[in-house]
Amino acid sequence: DQQVKQNSPSLSVQEGRISILNCDYTNSMFDYFLWYKKYPAEGPTFLISISSIKDKNEDGRFTVFLNKSAKHLSLHIVPSQPGDSAVYFCAASGAGRSGAGSYQLTFGKGTKLSVIP
Amino acid sequence: EPEVTQTPSHQVTQMGQEVILRCVPISNHLYFYWYRQILGQKVEFLVSFYNNEISEKSEIFDDQFSVERPDGSNFTLKIRSTKLEDSAMYFCASSEFRDYEQYFGPGTRLTVT
C-alpha cells in the first residue's frame, strides 16, 4: 500500500543546475507534506514543508510545489551543490483512522540525488 | 542547534532478549515518535506519544513493544522478546506541536542474531 510514491530511485544533476525531485500521493486526507534529506548512517534531516492550503513554499535554494488536484508535489533545488548529494524522502501526514487526524508521517521510498561537480 | 540524540548507536542482541533503545528529544518538544527502517525499505511509523500516553500506534507496534518517558528528558522504546525481523534502524523523532515538522535522531541500528 504505497500512499506516498517516489517513482525515481535516483537522479543525477550537474552542479549549478536545477534538481527536481517528485512525489505523488494517493490519500486525499493528507494535508501536510515534508521533505527530508538523509545521509548514510544518519537520521532524516528536515528540509522544508508545505501545508495543503498553499501551493508553494520557498526556503533559500529549496522550493516545494504542491498540486493538490494532481496529488503531486515536487522539490526544486537551485542551484544544486555537491553537498546536496543524499537520499531525499517525501513524507505526508493528515490521514486519520480515528477521524481526529493523524500526525504520523508516511514516507516514500526515497530518491538518491547525485550532484556531479 | 538543539538536536535529538539516541543511544546506543548500534545494539546487537540475541533472539528472545529484551532491548531498550533510548532517546533524548529536543527539550521544548511535546510530541515524541518512534519509526523504523528495515534495510532497503521505507521508514515506517511505529508509535507517537504525548502527555505520558500513546496517542497513535501502527500495526507493527504489537504487545512486544512498549514506550516510556521515565523522566523529564528520556524517551525509551522497549522490545520485550526480540525476533530476527526486528533488525532495523530505529529512529526517534520529536516535534514541538502536533502539526509541526518532526526532527529525527541519528538512529540506533538493532541487529538481532
Side-chain angles (χ1 to χ4, degrees):
Chain A
D1 177 23
Q2 285 195 72
Q3 298 189 66
V4 177
K5 302 178 198 177
Q6 293 177 258
N7 291 320
S8 298
S10 62
L11 175 68
S12 286
V13 171
Q14 287 288 129
E15 181 178 3
R17 306 295 286 264
I18 184 171
S19 295
I20 301 176
L21 298 106
N22 294 302
C23 178
D24 297 294
Y25 62 96
T26 57
N27 193 328
S28 55
M29 294 289 286
F30 287 148
D31 58 10
Y32 187 53
F33 304 90
L34 308 92
W35 284 95
Y36 285 85
K37 176 166 98 169
K38 187 179 180 303
Y39 295 115
E42 293 185 13
T45 301
F46 169 73
L47 271 178
I48 192 168
S49 61
I50 188 166
S51 162
S52 62
I53 62 172
K54 294 186 174 182
D55 53 21
K56 177 183 172 181
N57 189 25
E58 194 170 350
D59 183 1
R61 296 187 297 115
F62 302 92
T63 303
V64 56
F65 295 91
L66 175 63
N67 182 334
K68 288 187 290 295
S69 60
K71 293 193 176 71
H72 177 84
L73 62 153
S74 60
L75 174 69
H76 293 208
I77 306 173
V78 183
S80 302
Q81 299 172 355
D84 296 329
S85 297
V87 178
Y88 288 77
F89 290 99
C90 171
S93 69
R97 288 190 297 269
S98 65
S102 166
Y103 297 90
Q104 64 173 275
L105 295 180
T106 301
F107 282 83
K109 287 186 175 180
T111 297
K112 183 176 182 180
L113 174 65
S114 300
V115 180
I116 304 159
Chain B
E1 185 175 323
E3 58 183 18
V4 178
T5 59
Q6 290 186 243
T7 53
S9 56
H10 190 189
Q11 174 90 48
V12 181
T13 189
Q14 287 192 322
M15 197 167 52
Q17 295 296 303
E18 174 183 287
V19 293
I20 297 176
L21 309 183
R22 291 182 166 80
C23 167
V24 178
I26 293 173
S27 61
N28 64 328
H29 285 188
L30 301 176
Y31 294 85
F32 314 116
Y33 313 84
W34 283 101
Y35 292 81
R36 78 173 186 190
Q37 185 179 29
I38 294 171
L39 189 63
Q41 297 186 23
K42 289 185 182 185
V43 176
E44 302 173 287
F45 169 78
L46 292 178
V47 66
S48 59
F49 191 85
Y50 168 71
N51 199 25
N52 280 321
E53 60 182 28
I54 290 173
S55 48
E56 194 172 9
K57 61 183 181 179
S58 71
E59 297 87 356
I60 303 167
F61 194 88
D62 60 23
D63 292 344
Q64 292 299 312
F65 292 88
S66 62
V67 288
E68 195 177 34
R69 188 154 163 83
D71 53 43
S73 59
N74 289 283
F75 179 50
T76 62
L77 174 70
K78 183 194 288 186
I79 309 175
R80 263 178 271 280
S81 177
T82 50
K83 307 184 188 79
L84 294 176
E85 54 266 35
D86 293 328
S87 294
M89 280 291 286
Y90 286 80
F91 295 107
C92 174
S94 68
S95 64
E96 191 173 356
F97 300 108
R98 228 176 133 182
D99 53 355
Y100 276 39
E101 53 270 14
Q102 297 176 23
Y103 290 87
F104 284 74
T108 292
R109 178 171 298 283
L110 176 65
T111 303
V112 183
T113 61

